[in-house]
Amino acid sequence: MSKKFGFIGAGNMAEALMKGLIEGQLTTKDELIASEVFAPRREYIKSKLAVDVTEDNKEVAKEAKVIILAVKPNVVATVLEELKPQLTAEHLIISIAAGVKIASIEAHLNEGVRVVRVMPNQPCLVSASASAFALGKYAKEEDKALVQKILEAVGIAYAMDEKQLDAVTGLSGSGPAYIYLVIEALSDGGVMAGLPRDVATALASQTVLGAAKTILETKMHPGQAKDMVTSPAGTTIEGMRILENSAVRGAFIDAVLAATERSKELGKN
């Protein structure tokens, strides 16, 4: 085996992870190989990242011991059955297929093949992912450490029990969409107040980024940070009154819980 990492599927998430591995110096482009059924996408990945690309999934299994499974959930079983003869206990399968449980993956593999299931999120594309992962029954401590390093090359990551990944899906998996809605709404408010659209969107986006960075770097409780901005009888408390009257806090909580339940339902299928 001449490659350090192999990717089955070379979509946006796979591209982001390959880029993170290279830029994080966890590997070189010469130590990567990816398979992709869509010819234009193969050509794009080859020109963009200068890694080896093939249309043959089996070639990836032959060349790399660590394989990132980055295909659509509905084709996972088919792909694994195709690869089963090539996969041994020397292989580590890292699945980023949303909703596909570890037991389902292991059921299509030979005894002893190590599996780690990952729930990344869309900001992986800009190296700002919030990810979580769970270990299969054959995965080792060194596999856990490796997956942690891979995911930290594109953001932050937490190891947890697989049963918690549905909650991760509801929070950080779906969460970017909630925040995009917030950014759009803040921008709309700015436009209504007289700001140009481009300026309003830039200010809204930077405000969200700055607030998130403040919490991550200072480790303050969000409520404490909110109180620092909220002066007595000032503008912010007036805005907060409107948000609380509109039950915005409860709506976000309900959104996370609803998405979590939907993830559980999809996992049963």
Side-chain angles (χ1 to χ4, degrees), residues 6 11-12 38 40 55 85 89 107 124 128 140-141 146 158 180 199 211 247 250 252:
N12 289 331
F38 191 47
E55 61 180 333
C124 178
K140 304 174 182 178
E141 278 300 310
L146 176 61
Y158 293 91
Y180 298 146
V199 173
F252 275 115

Side-chain angles (χ1 to χ4, degrees), residues 26 54 63 68 89 91 111 114 128 131 134 150 152 188 196 200 209 230-231 234 240 262 267:
L26 295 180
T54 176
E63 292 288 340
I68 292 85
H91 286 92
E111 192 83 7
R114 292 123 59 208
S131 304
I150 291 171
E152 286 182 348
D188 285 345
L209 175 64
T230 310
S231 305
M240 290 299 302
R262 181 58 176 156

Side-chain angles (χ1 to χ4, degrees), residues 123-176:
C124 178
L125 304 178
V126 291
S127 296
S129 182
S131 304
F133 64 96
L135 306 182
K137 62 182 176 180
Y138 301 113
K140 304 174 182 178
E141 278 300 310
E142 51 263 41
D143 299 328
K144 177 181 176 181
L146 176 61
V147 172
Q148 188 83 41
K149 282 184 179 181
I150 291 171
L151 295 177
E152 286 182 348
V154 291
I156 63 172
Y158 293 91
M160 55 186 61
D161 292 337
E162 186 180 21
K163 64 183 180 181
Q164 296 174 300
L165 291 186
D166 289 316
V168 172
T169 301
L171 175 55
S172 58
S174 300

Side-chain angles (χ1 to χ4, degrees), residues 178-191:
Y178 312 154
I179 302 305
Y180 298 146
L181 182 67
V182 168
I183 292 171
E184 185 181 31
L186 289 173
S187 177
D188 285 345
V191 171

Side-chain angles (χ1 to χ4, degrees), residues 33-70:
I33 184 171
S35 62
E36 171 59 48
V37 296
F38 191 47
R41 184 68 185 176
R42 288 199 302 272
E43 294 169 7
Y44 168 81
I45 291 294
K46 180 67 176 178
S47 62
K48 181 78 173 180
L49 299 178
V51 302
D52 285 343
V53 187
T54 176
E55 61 180 333
D56 186 358
N57 294 334
K58 294 178 182 179
E59 186 177 346
V60 174
K62 291 175 183 176
E63 292 288 340
K65 289 183 180 179
V66 179
I67 297 174
I68 292 85
L69 189 62

